[in-house]
Amino acid sequence: GYDKAEMQGKGMDQLVPTRYREMHHDGVFRVSAGGEPHVIGKTVELHGLRKDGSEFPLELSLASWESGPSKFYSAIIRDITERKLAEQKSKAAFAEIEFAQTKARSILDASTDGMLLVTAELKIISVNRSFCKIFFDKHPREIAGHTLLDFQNQFEGFFKDPAVFSELIQSAAHDFERVLADTVIQIAPQFRELQLLSNPVRNSANEYLGRLFIFRDITERRRAEEQLRKLSRAVEQSPASVVITDTTGTIEYVNPKF
């Protein structure tokens, strides 16, 4: 809700909820002192603070680069409120309808993410069209009703690390609250970088029913982030003098040539 002019020159604290500020300060101090960065170079999900004081879920990608004695940071922030609401609605729907496939499919197919719904016995209850587009040249009906083990050879060939399939098996078969957010490399039928998320699904009695796997294609996002890094390096190494100012003319950055 902020205007650009309202944010320039301000500290990050006003974007960070109060309960996270101490952790934020500790992280900045640790990295500034040469410590191990925990989130730089990664994509994490956090909460941000709007101008009106309300919080919202966000996805944060941080990068850093150095210029002489100075160190600079860049951040890509995405509001994922709608995505979180969709995921919550999906989980709630699956739990309440006891894996009713016909109703669940409408929720699955509304997502551009590949979604795979599996019981604790490894039976595939439902997949959406996006999942088939990413992995199989099949209709969802051709996959539903099988078990994950029926497609073991195909799944192991999909990923650069064949152990991803074992992770799917272990996650589906066991009732635990671990939420995966791992990045995996797909090598077939084409190269993609995927974010793999996993959540347990329960019924209204809180009984474990199975697991919802979400495969999110982040290939283009990674390419955009790499382009941003290349641009940062190009500015640093440019033979021309580069000066960046704010709207008031205050110099915020100069490159080494300057």
Side-chain angles (χ1 to χ4, degrees):
Y2 290 98
D3 294 328
K4 181 178 179 180
E6 291 181 278
M7 286 304 304
Q8 288 182 328
K10 301 293 176 56
M12 288 294 293
D13 273 4
Q14 67 189 86
L15 303 180
V16 179
T18 303
R19 65 183 184 279
Y20 296 140
R21 287 178 186 171
E22 183 176 353
M23 181 173 61
H24 169 65
H25 294 160
D26 290 345
V28 172
F29 179 81
R30 182 183 63 256
V31 173
S32 299
E36 177 93 14
H38 291 174
V39 296
I40 294 176
K42 300 178 181 179
T43 299
V44 295
E45 293 184 2
L46 301 168
H47 284 84
L49 195 63
R50 293 192 177 94
K51 182 178 180 179
D52 63 7
S54 62
E55 293 187 16
F56 68 100
L58 60 83
E59 189 175 76
L60 174 67
S61 300
L62 286 176
S64 67
W65 72 94
E66 295 182 0
S67 175
S70 301
K71 194 164 189 176
F72 299 87
Y73 300 90
S74 63
I76 299 175
I77 298 174
R78 299 174 185 83
D79 186 339
I80 57 173
T81 302
E82 293 302 319
R83 189 175 85 195
K84 286 298 184 182
L85 288 174
E87 291 175 3
Q88 290 172 8
K89 289 179 181 178
S90 295
K91 288 180 64 179
F94 292 136
E96 291 304 318
I97 63 178
E98 299 285 341
F99 289 104
Q101 185 175 358
T102 55
K103 293 183 180 180
R105 186 178 295 118
S106 65
I107 298 173
L108 292 173
D109 284 340
S111 175
T112 57
D113 295 330
M115 292 192 176
L116 168 68
L117 185 60
V118 183
T119 68
E121 294 74 34
L122 307 183
K123 182 179 180 181
I124 300 173
I125 295 300
S126 188
V127 299
N128 65 351
R129 291 185 178 88
S130 294
F131 177 87
C132 292
K133 184 177 179 180
I134 293 173
F135 293 110
F136 292 99
D137 185 20
K138 297 178 182 289
H139 191 277
R141 285 196 298 268
E142 298 179 74
I143 300 173
H146 289 274
T147 71
L148 281 178
L149 296 175
D150 291 334
F151 298 103
Q152 179 172 355
N153 290 336
Q154 292 98 315
F155 266 107
E156 289 180 341
F158 287 150
F159 301 108
K160 183 177 181 179
D161 181 3
V164 171
F165 179 76
S166 298
E167 182 77 4
L168 296 180
I169 295 293
Q170 292 297 317
S171 298
H174 296 90
D175 178 11
F176 57 88
E177 289 298 334
R178 179 185 176 194
V179 178
L180 300 178
D182 298 328
T183 300
V184 297
I185 303 299
Q186 179 189 358
I187 58 175
Q190 68 181 70
F191 177 87
R192 290 186 180 92
E193 191 164 357
L194 302 173
Q195 187 177 30
L196 171 58
L197 300 101
S198 165
N199 287 287
V201 180
R202 306 179 187 281
N203 61 16
S204 56
N206 202 38
E207 298 170 327
Y208 179 68
L209 301 177
R211 194 162 287 272
L212 174 65
F213 295 102
I214 302 173
F215 297 86
R216 181 164 297 130
D217 189 345
I218 58 173
T219 309
E220 292 303 319
R221 188 182 78 194
R222 292 299 196 205
R223 288 173 181 166
E225 292 170 353
E226 178 59 26
Q227 289 301 313
L228 178 61
R229 285 191 289 270
K230 288 181 180 178
L231 176 61
S232 298
R233 290 195 294 269
V235 170
E236 288 295 302
Q237 300 167 8
S238 173
S241 297
V242 178
V243 181
I244 299 176
T245 70
D246 62 17
T247 55
T248 66
T250 301
I251 296 176
E252 294 187 336
Y253 166 79
V254 297
N255 71 341
K257 179 63 177 178
F258 182 87

